[in-house]
Amino acid sequence: PLVFALSLAPFAALVQGVLAGTLGPDPVEALTDHTGTLATRFLLLSLAMTPLRWLLKDVWPVRLRRMLGLFAFFYAVLHVSVYAVLDRELDPSLLLEDLTRRPYVMAGFVAFAILVPLAVTSTRRLARRLGRRWASLHRWVYIAAAAAIVHGVLLARGRVLEPFVYLGVLALLLAWRLRRTTKSAR
């Protein structure tokens, strides 16, 4: 319950910012930026739970992984919704033009498109039903994280350090995962 409440706190702060009018001169841009950053952070947090489990030799981090992943999806849905509804006013021609002419939009779209089936299949019932295919499907989260980070890096155009920090964190998580996988394969 505490992690759930803490995960909702940024959303409450965004709602408060909208209601109070404290999101700056361009609230749509601020909402887009904040929700995208939150989606990326929660995605990386969810990926960090498995290495944390290995380090602590305890299962409690894995119990949080699904919830953190679903919060990543929640903030990604908010991010895409703010962009599509408030920024592009659901204009299909604007959305298609962005998708075809802006590589960062394509990278974000790829990340979101991967997260949708992961969120849909995150229930225990579907995990049991899919069996080994569920684990294979959910490994795509690394591709979604990479695409989300590419989205941020392309948007930053070298002006902001934060997406590059996320890139470094993802590289560490992937290296840890690869090392652990190759050790257990021996």
Side-chain angles (χ1 to χ4, degrees):
L2 177 63
V3 174
F4 186 86
L6 290 172
S7 298
L8 270 180
F11 176 70
L14 287 174
V15 170
Q16 181 185 10
V18 167
L19 296 175
T22 58
L23 292 179
D26 190 349
V28 173
E29 183 180 343
L31 280 173
T32 306
D33 290 347
H34 289 311
T35 53
T37 298
L38 288 166
T40 303
R41 287 178 181 175
F42 275 94
L43 198 51
L44 290 173
L45 275 172
S46 70
L47 290 174
M49 291 300 106
T50 300
L52 186 60
R53 172 189 168 205
W54 294 333
L55 283 171
L56 299 176
K57 296 178 181 14
D58 200 345
V59 295
W60 69 262
V62 175
R63 292 185 188 132
L64 300 176
R65 186 175 53 200
R66 179 182 313 163
M67 180 175 42
L68 293 171
L70 287 172
F71 269 107
F73 181 69
F74 169 71
Y75 287 113
V77 167
L78 290 177
H79 179 70
V80 170
S81 298
V82 168
Y83 161 74
V85 175
L86 300 179
D87 191 23
R88 294 298 182 226
E89 299 176 345
L90 288 178
D91 183 333
S93 63
L94 285 176
L95 292 168
L96 188 58
E97 181 181 338
D98 279 353
L99 192 60
T100 56
R101 293 193 179 172
R102 295 190 166 113
Y104 66 87
V105 174
M106 179 56 81
F109 175 77
V110 167
F112 186 71
I114 292 170
L115 289 178
V116 170
L118 299 183
V120 168
T121 60
S122 68
T123 64
R124 288 179 191 182
R125 191 176 109 217
L126 277 174
R128 277 193 302 270
R129 190 169 175 197
L130 291 171
R132 289 180 187 209
R133 290 175 296 166
W134 182 88
S136 296
L137 173 66
H138 279 258
R139 283 190 197 102
W140 278 73
V141 70
Y142 290 99
I143 296 169
I149 291 168
V150 166
H151 172 71
V153 166
L154 291 174
L155 267 169
R157 295 185 184 110
R159 294 173 289 163
V160 182
L161 181 64
E162 190 174 3
F164 295 97
V165 171
Y166 298 149
L167 184 60
V169 170
L170 180 61
L172 284 172
L173 290 170
L174 286 170
W176 183 281
R177 183 84 182 188
L178 184 62
R179 181 173 175 256
R180 178 75 179 193
T181 303
T182 54
K183 262 186 164 180
S184 61
R186 290 179 195 170

